[in-house]
Amino acid sequence: EWNGATPTDLIFPFFLFIVGVSIAFALGKKKELHTDHNKLILTALKRALILFGLGLFLSLFPKVFTEPLEAFKTVRIPGVLQRIAVVFFISAVIFIKTTRKTQFWIFVSLLIGYWLMMTLVPVPGVGSANLEKETNLGAWLDRLVLGEAHLWKSSRTWDPEGILGTIPATATGLFGVLVGTWLKRKDREDSVKVSWMFSIGLLATILGLIWDLFFPINKALWTSSYVLYAGGLATLGLALFYWLIDVQGYRKGTKVFVVYGVNAITVFFLSGLIPRILNMIMVKMPDGREVGSKLWIHETFFSPYFSPVNASLADAVTFVLFWLLILMLMYRKNIIIKV
């Protein structure tokens, strides 16, 4: 329930990891021109602000149109897109302004610094350092700076995308930057690149599991062990797909992932927006209840035919396939929405 990781818990760090990899590819040559550094940073800031704004809009919608004052009073400030925005910007600035060696030591410092803060710094009003949901240092800082009204609605006392957790999340982005920098090197054979990536990925995963013994792997806290564990698995995955697709030329069945990948932020944003819109459209059930369209769809087409767990799974798979059809049409028409 709290410590540990399921496959679902790997999705977000994998995304931040590949954000870091993309920074190395997108800005690699541009950073060589020092006169363009400020321009690159401003562009990164603009993208980060747009992403942050999209995340806030999802938190505000639809209440912002019916009760705007109340919506802003209770809007959740942290969030997935907000964390992506901050990690992207910080990682981009570090990549632009520092060498690979410095990036590595910043990465190490972030992991060790966060570990020491979370396990040694006493929590005001609580006592000794701890890693529990509501009483850890990160939860205290979120309540102090943001206030309970602006935290995760499921708890209001702590937030899985809180302020302090952005430190190790940035380390996840830098992990991707370092791997991306290695991957794009021209002075190494593909076999050498793949071998090193497999080695680094395996080592990081093992180190994460060892660190887990005294600093538990935990997604909500984004612990340093979680950074190494998830980053190591992401590196192994990237090495495998790089070897299969780029080196061996095996591309059969990969289009579905490309279709999602080129519009990743778009589908994430819209797949969060559509259920909110569906919940606004009320439908009368046979038993007289008025429910949102999202619940109506679930209870009409899934609940009668599956167990609760499998109904949830079937609903989710259907939603993914629904977006696949839309994204396939966008891909064929070369519609790519970039931030």
Side-chain angles (χ1 to χ4, degrees):
E1 181 187 358
W2 185 236
N3 294 325
T6 68
T8 304
D9 295 324
L10 298 176
I11 295 171
F12 197 2
F14 275 26
F15 193 93
L16 289 184
F17 173 87
I18 212 66
V19 164
V21 173
S22 70
I23 287 171
F25 275 85
L27 304 179
K29 289 185 178 179
K30 296 176 182 178
K31 72 172 286 188
E32 295 172 7
L33 296 173
H34 293 274
T35 54
D36 288 346
H37 280 190
N38 289 339
K39 183 180 178 182
L40 290 176
I41 291 172
L42 284 174
T43 300
L45 178 61
K46 178 184 175 183
R47 289 176 174 173
L49 290 174
I50 292 172
L51 280 173
F52 201 98
L54 289 173
L56 281 181
F57 180 79
L58 279 180
S59 296
L60 288 165
F61 186 86
K63 205 171 185 180
V64 69
F65 295 109
T66 56
E67 302 174 76
L69 290 177
E70 185 64 24
F72 280 99
K73 282 181 182 178
T74 59
V75 62
R76 181 192 176 200
I77 296 175
V80 172
L81 285 174
Q82 293 91 313
R83 174 161 285 182
I84 293 172
V86 175
V87 170
F88 162 72
F89 179 68
I90 296 174
S91 298
V93 172
I94 291 173
F95 176 74
I96 292 167
K97 288 295 187 180
T98 64
T99 63
R100 186 174 59 202
K101 185 177 180 180
T102 302
Q103 291 158 20
F104 172 76
W105 286 114
I106 292 175
F107 167 77
V108 172
S109 299
L110 292 177
L111 294 183
I112 295 176
Y114 183 67
W115 169 49
L116 294 176
M117 278 192 291
M118 293 296 288
T119 56
L120 296 180
V121 177
V123 182
V126 175
S128 59
N130 68 90
L131 302 176
E132 300 304 317
K133 289 181 182 179
E134 299 181 356
T135 57
N136 68 79
L137 187 65
W140 169 81
L141 183 65
D142 290 338
R143 292 194 298 269
L144 176 69
V145 177
L146 302 175
E148 292 186 3
H150 299 294
L151 300 181
W152 192 36
K153 288 180 175 57
S154 297
S155 68
R156 289 299 191 191
T157 53
W158 61 278
D159 199 295
E161 278 79 51
I163 297 170
L164 205 58
T166 305
I167 294 173
T170 299
T172 298
L174 288 179
F175 200 148
V177 166
L178 291 165
V179 172
T181 302
W182 168 256
L183 187 59
K184 69 188 292 291
R185 288 180 64 166
K186 303 293 185 183
D187 59 340
R188 294 290 188 274
E189 297 290 330
D190 285 330
S191 58
V192 175
K193 290 180 182 179
V194 171
S195 297
W196 271 102
M197 286 169 65
F198 270 117
S199 301
I200 292 168
L202 184 61
L203 177 62
T205 304
I206 292 172
L207 288 175
L209 290 170
I210 293 172
W211 210 344
D212 171 62
L213 298 175
F214 47 95
F215 192 30
I217 290 171
N218 185 301
K219 178 184 179 291
L221 297 177
W222 212 281
T223 51
S224 304
S225 56
Y226 175 67
V227 172
L228 290 179
Y229 175 72
L233 292 177
T235 304
L236 289 171
L238 182 59
L240 174 63
F241 289 121
Y242 179 73
W243 180 75
L244 279 174
I245 299 168
D246 293 87
V247 179
Q248 299 298 317
Y250 185 86
R251 291 179 171 82
K252 187 177 180 181
T254 59
K255 181 176 282 189
V256 61
F257 301 105
V258 175
V259 164
Y260 264 101
V262 295
N263 274 305
I265 293 294
T266 301
V267 71
F268 179 86
F269 177 77
L270 292 178
S271 65
L273 189 67
I274 295 301
R276 289 168 169 82
I277 294 174
L278 288 174
N279 283 331
M280 296 169 62
I281 304 171
M282 304 305 292
V283 179
K284 199 162 189 176
M285 297 290 289
D287 59 7
R289 288 179 300 146
E290 277 203 354
V291 300
S293 296
K294 184 174 182 293
L295 182 60
W296 174 79
I297 291 170
H298 183 79
E299 293 195 1
T300 303
F301 298 101
F302 300 101
S303 291
Y305 309 105
F306 302 96
S307 67
V309 171
N310 289 329
S312 177
L313 175 62
D315 195 340
V317 170
T318 302
F319 196 55
V320 170
L321 294 175
F322 166 77
W323 282 108
L324 177 60
L325 292 175
I326 294 174
L327 293 172
M328 189 70 77
L329 290 173
M330 292 175 66
Y331 183 78
R332 287 178 177 174
K333 294 181 179 296
N334 198 32
I335 300 172
I336 298 174
I337 302 173
K338 297 182 179 180
V339 174

